Each structure stands twice: as C-alpha cells, then as structure tokens.
Amino acid sequence: MEQHPIWKGKWTVLLAATGSAVGLGNIWLFPYKVGEYGGSAFVLVYLAGVLIMGVPLMISEITIGRFTRMSPFNAVTKLSENSRVPGAWRLLGFIPHIGSCTILTFYAVIAGWALLYMVHMATGGVFGSIQVAEESAAAFSRLQADPLTMIFYHTLFMAATIFIVAKGVIAGLEKSINWMMPLLFVMVICLLIYSMFSGQFMRSLEFLFTPDWSKINGESVSFAIGQAFFSLSLGMGSIITYGAYMAKEGDIAKTGTAVSLLDMLLALCMGLVVFPVVFSFGLEPNSGPGLIFESMPLAFGSLPLGNLFGTVFFALVAVAALSSSISLLEPTVALLEERTSLKRWKIAALVGGAIWLAGFSVVLSFNVWQDVHILPGKNIFDTLDYIVSNIMLPLGGLVTALWMGWLMKPSDARNELGLGPQWFGVLHTMVRYVSPVLLFLVLFTSLGIIQF
Ligand code: PHE
C-alpha cells in the first residue's frame, strides 16, 4: 500500500480540519435551524453537543487517522486486526465513504446556488438587485425551476473540487487551504463589522443567547446534536483522513479542541452576521432553508453598500463550501489510492465525476422530478438529506467511538495522543461510554424508535 504524504506546514492540519468543518453547515444550516427551532435553546444544546461529544470525537478521529496513516475504511480494518471483531463488522468502515460521497452529491448543488448569487451580487444581476419580498421568493423559486442554470453552477463547483483534490495532498489541498482559510477569516470579520452597524446586533445577541427552556424537547435536542455533528465534519471520514496526513510532532488534543471551538465560534459569528441583517429588514428568522438565499439578498438589496457586502457574503459561502467539499472527496480518493494502482487524478476524476452525475438527480428533484419520492413524502434531495443526517452521521460517529473506545489498544491511543493519564482517562471514558449512548439516543430518536 502506498504511503500518503505529510502536511508540510505546521498549521495546515488545523486550517484544513477547520476548513472542512466550517461550511454550509455553519452559514446555511446553523442560522436557519436556530431560526426554526426557537433561537437560544437550540444554540445552548448545540454548544453542549460540541463540548461533550464533538471535542472527544474530533480528537479520536485525528488519533485514528494519524495512528493508522490510512483512509477510514483501511484505518478501521487495521484497528480491527488485533481484535476478535468478526470480519463483517469491518464493513462498517465503508460508512464514512458512502456518507461523504452522498453529502457531496447535494452539497455541491447548494454550493452552486451560492456561486450564482455571488456572481449576481457582483454584477448587479437579477439575484443581486432584489427590492421586494415577493420578488426575492419568486427569484429563488425561478432558480429552483431552472435545472440548466443549477447544473451550470453545480458543474463549476464540482470541477473546482475535483481539480484541487486531483492535484494531490500538498500541491492541491494544502496549497488551496493556505489561501482559502485566511480569506475566509477576513471575510467573516468584514461581515461582522458590517452587521454590527446594521442596527439590530443587540437583538440578535439576545435571540441567540437568552435561553427559553420551554422550547427544548427530544426533537430539538436530537437536531441540535445532529447539527453539531454535521458542522464538525464528524463521522464522515474527513477528519480521519486529514489526521492521516498530520506530522508526528503535532499535538492532536490541542488541534482537535481548537478545530471544534473555531467551528463553534464561526457558527455563532454567522448567526451574528445573518440575524442582524434579517431583523433590520423586519424579516422573520424562521423562513427555513431559503433563509440565506431569500432573506439575505432582499436585505442586501436595500442596505447601504449592500451589493459589495452581498458579494462578500456569498463569496464566503462559496469558499467555505469549497474547503469542505475537498474534504468530502478526499477520503474515498485516498482509499482508492491505497487499494488500486490508478493515478490520483484518474481516481479524483472518476469518483468526482460519479458524484457530479449523481448531483443531477438532486438538481432535478427541485423541478422535473419534484414528485419522484424515494422515501414516503420525500423527494430525492430530502431522502439523501434524511439518510445522511439521521442514519449515516450517527452511525459514522458510532464507528469512531467504538473503534477508538473499544478496539484501539488504550496504550496505543495514549501514546499517539501524548496525554497524561488523567486527561486520557477523561477522554477515553467520554468516547467509550458517553458518546455511544448519546449517539444511539440520537439515532433512535431521529428514526422515531423512541420519543421523549
Ligand atoms: N462540516 C461541513 C459543514 O459544516 C460539512 C461536512 C460534513 C464536511 C462532513 C465534511 C464531512 O458544512
């Protein structure tokens, strides 16, 4: 099996994992889910989810990656070798690969919308010069009814993803991350300053942080934990793969904690970018998935310097999505590199090409195939989203928790982490007992098997 390269820069693993984590989950999903599930209560459960489960599992995934230096499936196989786990169980190592490819199938379509909005904001196109609410909703519906435009931007986005991954770990991923991440931070800061001056900053702070416990129930808890998981890129193999490229000298525990906290911070910052703009225009925060695509253009259309900041906003969405999409393609490309003698660019083109083609079905599910239901009442996009969020993510997390907590020798894990016995004890207990219990709860709640 071929050895993978190691990241050159000292900070690359931190930036790359943060780039993977920060994406549509923070900018698109987080604000609209907060809006839909009642603000602060959702935020607090999400924060607890990141701290209790996110941080330990993030550290575990990096550990598994660096210890085995392999893609998720081979990592799981390697960790199973010294244990008596039946061979068939190793097949669970495919879950992160199936999950990440499935996510990328619809992720690229949504990221394509962001590209289109960015271009329109910059050029004053239809989506960049919206003045009234009806117009905004109508424009968004027109986009969804127009498969060709969607396919055009989806193709652009997938081509960029495939291009970066095809160029390799150092010349492709590391190089692009080195410019994408600083750009992303600068854009977030510019937008935060802009939203502070838009007048509704305090109201947004209140909306995000004053808890209303009556809004907490089993469903919102399970959604908030699911959101934390998706947002941290856990369970889908991206972090394991990035860990496999981490230099031996790097501190895994610090890196994992920093990535989780940065991701959480960025999600909160995005809440503070989106809600002031939404509120200052008198819009409702609970307008669902269309929140950033319907409400934001409308608000930008009327605020001073709206087009400039609108362009920055959608450029941020696109860059954040790209730094995540490369981490969704990489695990399977790395697996096939390990298992076949094909050149990386061929593998990237094959896997990426297949995902791109599958993306057509997602595009069509918004229009021509709107009524094609795979699961009852759910079209193709809804079905993929449901399967990923409710089944694949918790199962992928369980694979990490079980393999790190039960199958990897504790002494190996501790050596890899370089932690003292106490901290290691805390981490190991969380991963061995707390995470699996919580993950089973999330899995069963979202499948409707238990209700509370
Ligand atoms: N964390 C990314 C986001 O928030 C999505 C993602 C999930 C990326 C799983 C990689 C693996 O958008």
Side-chain angles (χ1 to χ4, degrees):
M1 260 186 234
E2 218 186 291
Q3 275 289 322
H4 295 291
I6 304 292
W7 302 118
K8 289 220 161 72
K10 187 172 169 220
W11 299 104
T12 309
V13 65
L14 174 72
L15 292 180
T18 308
S20 168
V22 176
L24 294 175
N26 306 58
I27 313 180
W28 171 57
L29 285 173
F30 182 75
Y32 102 65
K33 295 231 158 134
V34 172
E36 224 165 30
Y37 295 104
S40 52
F42 182 89
V43 175
L44 290 176
V45 180
Y46 161 83
L47 294 182
V50 171
L51 295 176
I52 296 171
M53 213 163 57
V55 174
L57 287 180
M58 176 73 73
I59 296 177
S60 304
E61 293 209 351
I62 306 179
T63 310
I64 292 178
R66 198 174 71 176
F67 179 73
T68 59
R69 295 246 177 256
M70 281 179 188
S71 64
F73 176 72
N74 281 333
V76 160
T77 306
K78 188 170 172 184
L79 288 182
S80 312
E81 267 159 16
N82 300 332
S83 65
R84 275 169 296 151
V85 57
W89 281 85
R90 298 175 195 178
L91 292 179
L92 285 177
F94 272 124
I95 288 177
H97 296 280
I98 303 172
S100 49
C101 292
T102 313
I103 295 182
L104 188 52
T105 307
F106 60 83
Y107 205 83
V109 175
I110 315 281
W113 298 350
L115 272 185
L116 167 106
Y117 274 77
M118 179 186 86
V119 172
H120 277 235
M121 280 283 167
T123 56
V126 189
F127 296 95
S129 43
I130 284 169
Q131 303 290 341
V132 272
E134 295 76 46
E135 210 178 299
S136 181
F140 188 55
S141 310
R142 267 204 311 280
L143 168 63
Q144 295 196 318
D146 177 0
L148 284 183
T149 308
M150 277 210 258
I151 286 176
F152 177 75
Y153 285 97
H154 159 239
T155 304
L156 271 187
F157 185 82
M158 271 314 288
T161 306
I162 296 172
F163 179 74
I164 295 176
V165 173
K167 288 194 82 177
V169 176
I170 308 294
L173 299 170
E174 178 158 11
K175 221 171 160 186
S176 63
I177 278 157
N178 281 343
W179 66 262
M180 279 198 274
M181 296 314 285
L183 179 68
L184 192 137
F185 288 119
V186 171
M187 290 195 284
V188 171
I189 293 172
C190 290
L191 285 164
L192 263 181
I193 298 176
Y194 180 72
S195 74
M196 269 181 205
F197 288 102
S198 76
Q200 297 289 337
F201 198 72
M202 291 321 283
R203 170 142 177 236
S204 308
L205 270 181
E206 216 171 280
F207 179 70
L208 286 173
F209 294 111
T210 317
D212 174 359
W213 297 111
S214 66
K215 297 242 168 69
I216 299 252
N217 57 25
E219 200 196 13
S220 58
V221 169
S222 137
F223 274 125
I225 293 184
Q227 167 65 24
F229 234 75
F230 181 82
S231 179
L232 291 171
S233 298
L234 293 172
M236 296 291 101
S238 304
I239 304 292
I240 296 186
T241 312
Y242 280 0
Y245 309 152
M246 180 180 185
K248 199 81 201 146
E249 304 76 50
D251 186 324
I252 297 182
K254 279 192 192 143
T255 307
T257 312
V259 173
S260 313
L261 297 182
L262 274 172
D263 180 67
M264 189 167 90
L265 187 72
L266 265 145
L268 295 176
C269 286
M270 289 323 294
L272 289 175
V273 165
V274 171
F275 290 119
V277 174
V278 168
F279 286 143
S280 66
F281 205 72
L283 298 168
E284 284 304 320
N286 59 353
S287 55
L291 182 66
I292 69 164
F293 293 107
E294 285 181 46
S295 310
M296 295 297 276
L298 178 60
F300 281 130
S302 326
L303 290 170
L305 295 178
N307 271 57
L308 173 63
F309 283 94
T311 310
V312 176
F313 179 79
F314 286 105
L316 169 69
V317 184
V319 170
L322 186 59
S323 66
S324 300
S325 67
I326 54 179
S327 78
L328 287 163
L329 185 55
E330 180 62 23
T332 305
V333 170
L335 170 65
L336 292 177
E337 249 191 333
E338 290 158 6
R339 293 268 166 168
T340 68
S341 54
L342 286 176
K343 289 250 176 320
R344 173 177 263 264
W345 71 265
K346 278 196 187 148
I347 303 176
L350 275 175
V351 181
I355 294 174
W356 169 70
L357 274 181
F360 282 47
S361 68
V362 174
V363 168
L364 295 177
S365 74
F366 288 103
N367 34 71
V368 188
W369 289 352
Q370 211 165 17
D371 298 322
V372 177
H373 290 174
I374 310 279
L375 290 177
K378 290 188 176 7
N379 65 24
I380 298 172
F381 170 70
D382 299 333
T383 306
L384 293 182
D385 178 30
Y386 177 83
I387 293 179
V388 165
S389 317
N390 297 291
I391 304 172
M392 299 254 177
L393 282 170
L395 270 186
L398 270 172
V399 172
T400 300
L402 297 180
W403 261 258
M404 167 85 171
W406 295 86
L407 290 184
M408 190 171 179
K409 275 203 227 120
S411 55
D412 284 342
R414 215 187 117 194
N415 281 342
E416 196 60 48
L417 276 159
L419 280 180
Q422 264 160 351
W423 279 114
F424 182 72
V426 174
L427 178 81
H428 205 239
T429 314
M430 299 293 275
V431 176
R432 203 174 157 97
Y433 303 105
V434 181
S435 303
V437 171
L438 283 174
L439 282 165
F440 271 119
L441 277 180
V442 170
L443 188 64
F444 290 154
T445 315
S446 51
L447 290 178
I449 298 174
I450 48 173
Q451 271 171 351
F452 57 93

